[in-house]
């Protein structure tokens, strides 16, 4: 081949090679530009991130979570309450405070009377209560001790020192097999004489007590009343049993008591099978109450006719109040809906009868305008409670309890005896 022809072929190859390399570089740069248009890789394609260590720090709003182990002593979500970067946990025979970053037990205090072994298997019905009394933060819990006196225990929430031990026997001297602190009524921060703890105990039948924090025992009690939920205006909602079966089954009548005096403020109509899922008394918000298929006004006990919450609507499986203006409810048939907590007005829904091919995510928790849900294995969502918009698809957890520092997730949702997973919030 002549030198001129050979040189021409080499030039063509070099030109084509340069063009190919340019195209390749353009594609790479183009892809990089697409990924960086939002300030980084798309959230669905995030690279693994460095693990955060050290003390828990606050992130508002809490949208993403990093696992940190399990919570010692907590075997069900309703046994715990978050308090900054700590958790207070009630067990059958002690009140424990845990540092969430290290998992260390900071203190653990038992009632004066030992709790017999046969009461240890009963799961707690409610968490400890954190409240301010006379400018001091307290954490409170109630304990039953079988044949002995029941006890209301109050600890300094920051130091673990005992502030109050209030003990009492039933009116006939009989002990309780279970006691639950339902609420501490009165203005937040007010002195002890203005604060009353409401405790519901099982003593053969249900009996509810009002216990002033400045006193030595109950100032009032109501027989046959199972207190369940705190409502607006220092009202306590619960059930009166209507037959000889006590409060363990059969028909019941929802009612509300004045937490300061024990006076019955209103009673609703009787409803059958109140222990079934269709008839249970459940909280909706401090302003509304679910009594079987009925929605009751917390102030008057009267029925409220609310679209989306009527008896003919699919069964409500779970409702979560966000601590503010919203209540999210999950319904049978893969429906998730959010309502105004005060009026009950429906703001939006996902799934249900209006969208046959759309399956709603599974509601796990709600707090401060955010909903935490799962959508299939390993998919954790954070939703805007007011609009339903998905804010985060890779949250890392769907906590049932959450604050700016941490989240607690049920490892087996709804099951007693399985640990609670601890997560720190992160950016």
């Amino acid at each position: 081949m002549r030198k001129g022809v050979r040189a021409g072929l080499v030039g063509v190859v070099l030109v084509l090679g340069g063009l190919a390399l340019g195209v390749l570089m353009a594609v790479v740069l183009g892809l990089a530009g697409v990924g960086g248009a939002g300030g980084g890789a798309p959230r669905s394609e995030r690279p693994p991130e460095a693990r955060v260590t050290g003390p828990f720090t606050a992130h508002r709003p809490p949208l993403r979570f990093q696992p940190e182990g399990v919570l010692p002593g907590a075997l069900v979500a309703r046994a715990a309450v978050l308090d900054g970067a700590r958790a207070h946990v009630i067990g059958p025979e002690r009140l424990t405070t845990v540092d969430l970053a290290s998992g260390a037990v900071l203190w653990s205090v038992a009632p004066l009377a030992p709790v017999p072994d046969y009461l240890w298997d009963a799961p707690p019905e409610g968490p400890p209560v954190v409240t301010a009394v006379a400018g001091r933060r307290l954490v409170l819990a109630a304990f039953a001790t079988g044949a002995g006196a029941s006890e209301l225990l109050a600890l300094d929430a920051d130091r673990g020192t005992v502030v109050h031990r209030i003990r009492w026997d039933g009116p006939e001297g009989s002990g309780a097999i279970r006691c639950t602190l339902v609420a501490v009524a009165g203005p937040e921060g007010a002195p002890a004489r203005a604060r009353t703890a409401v405790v519901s105990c099982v003593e053969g039948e249900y009996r509810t007590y009002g216990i002033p924090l400045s006193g030595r025992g109950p100032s009032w009690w109501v027989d046959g009343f199972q207190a369940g939920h705190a409502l607006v205006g220092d009202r306590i909602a619960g059930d009166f049993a209507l037959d000889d079966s006590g409060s363990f089954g059969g028909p019941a009548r929802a009612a509300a008591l004045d937490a300061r005096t024990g006076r019955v403020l209103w009673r609703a109509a009787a409803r059958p099978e109140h222990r079934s899922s269709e008839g249970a008394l459940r909280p909706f918000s401090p302003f509304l109450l679910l009594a079987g298929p009925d929605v009751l006004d917390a102030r008057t006990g009267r029925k409220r006719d609310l679209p989306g919450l009527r008896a003919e609507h699919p069964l409500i499986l779970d409702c979560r109040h966000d601590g503010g203006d919203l209540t999210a409810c999950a319904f049978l048939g893969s429906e998730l809906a959010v309502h105004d907590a005060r009026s009950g007005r429906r703001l939006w829904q996902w799934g249900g009868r209006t969208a046959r091919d759309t399956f709603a995510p599974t509601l796990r928790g709600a707090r401060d305008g955010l909903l935490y849900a799962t959508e299939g294995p390993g998919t954790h969502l954070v939703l805007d409670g007011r609009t339903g918009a998905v804010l985060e698809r890779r949250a890392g957890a769907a906590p049932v309890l959450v604050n700016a520092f941490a989240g607690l997730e049920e490892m087996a949702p709804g099951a007693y005896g399985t640990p609670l997973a601890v997560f720190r919030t992160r950016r």
Side-chain angles (χ1 to χ4, degrees):
M1 184 178 295
R2 292 196 305 268
K3 290 184 179 181
V5 175
R6 187 181 296 115
L9 289 175
V10 171
V12 170
V13 170
L14 290 174
V15 170
L16 291 176
L19 288 174
L21 180 60
V23 171
L24 178 60
M25 291 298 294
V27 170
V28 171
L29 292 173
L31 289 175
V34 170
R43 290 189 171 183
S44 60
E45 300 175 8
R46 281 200 195 105
E49 295 171 320
R51 182 174 179 82
V52 179
T53 59
F56 283 18
T57 55
H59 296 91
R60 298 180 176 88
L63 298 178
R64 299 172 60 209
F65 303 89
Q66 173 183 294
E68 293 291 332
V70 298
L71 181 62
L75 299 179
V76 65
R78 61 179 178 270
V81 62
L82 288 172
D83 183 15
R86 295 174 175 177
H88 306 290
V89 182
I90 183 172
E93 33 76 48
R94 60 184 53 248
L95 175 59
T96 302
T97 298
V98 178
D99 176 77
L100 295 175
S102 65
V105 174
L106 300 178
W107 51 79
S108 187
V109 181
L112 289 178
V115 178
D117 294 354
Y118 66 84
L119 297 182
W120 286 19
D121 291 334
E125 292 294 323
V129 173
V130 178
T131 187
V133 179
R136 189 180 194 180
R137 293 190 337 109
L138 304 182
V139 54
L140 301 97
F143 294 91
T145 58
S150 301
E151 182 173 316
L152 178 68
L153 176 63
L155 307 179
D156 186 300
D158 300 307
R159 298 177 178 83
T161 54
V162 176
V163 179
H164 299 290
R165 284 189 188 270
I166 302 175
R167 306 177 75 222
W168 71 96
D169 291 305
E172 297 83 24
S174 60
I177 61 172
R178 179 184 295 169
C179 286
T180 302
L181 175 60
V182 178
V184 180
E188 186 75 8
R193 64 178 180 273
R195 306 300 302 276
T196 300
V198 179
V199 178
S200 184
C201 292
V202 182
E203 301 169 353
E205 66 172 356
Y206 277 102
R207 181 175 285 127
T208 295
Y209 296 93
I211 305 171
L213 296 188
S214 61
R216 297 181 178 273
S219 61
W220 59 263
W221 65 81
V222 177
D223 291 333
F225 184 72
Q226 178 191 3
H229 318 295
L231 302 175
V232 66
D234 284 341
R235 292 169 171 82
I236 303 296
D239 271 327
F240 277 107
L242 298 181
D243 63 13
D244 294 336
S245 65
S247 291
F248 298 103
R253 174 175 288 139
L257 305 182
D258 184 321
R260 296 159 295 186
T261 65
R263 182 171 63 91
V264 177
L265 300 174
W266 54 259
R267 298 179 191 239
R271 67 187 194 282
E273 303 299 334
H274 79 287
R275 277 300 194 188
S276 69
S277 59
E278 292 84 356
L281 184 71
R282 290 178 289 180
F284 182 86
S285 73
F287 310 97
L288 298 171
L289 190 67
L290 300 174
D294 298 327
V295 181
L296 306 180
D297 187 289
R299 295 186 181 277
T300 64
R302 296 193 183 98
K303 290 184 183 180
R304 298 278 298 275
D305 183 21
L306 300 174
L309 294 172
R310 293 174 176 146
E312 66 272 13
H313 200 80
L315 176 68
I316 295 176
L317 301 177
D318 187 23
C319 283
R320 304 290 176 114
H321 180 231
D322 78 336
D325 299 328
L326 304 177
T327 295
C329 292
F331 297 80
L332 190 67
S334 187
E335 178 180 338
L336 173 63
V338 170
H339 302 257
D340 180 87
R342 185 181 291 270
S343 69
R345 180 175 61 89
R346 178 165 288 197
L347 303 179
W348 58 266
Q349 76 176 67
W350 189 340
R353 294 175 178 174
T354 61
R356 295 181 182 178
D357 298 327
T358 301
F359 292 92
T362 301
L363 179 66
R364 299 298 185 200
R367 193 67 189 171
D368 296 334
L370 300 177
L371 309 184
Y372 301 91
T374 56
E375 191 179 48
T379 303
H380 304 96
L381 306 180
V382 182
L383 309 180
D384 185 317
R386 293 203 168 276
T387 65
V390 177
L391 302 178
E392 180 60 72
R393 289 191 175 275
R394 295 183 63 190
V400 62
L401 300 174
V402 63
N403 64 13
F405 293 87
L408 301 180
E409 185 180 59
E410 295 177 314
M411 298 180 73
Y416 177 64
T418 57
L420 288 178
V422 177
F423 295 81
R424 73 165 69 217
T425 61
R426 62 173 300 162
R427 295 191 183 280

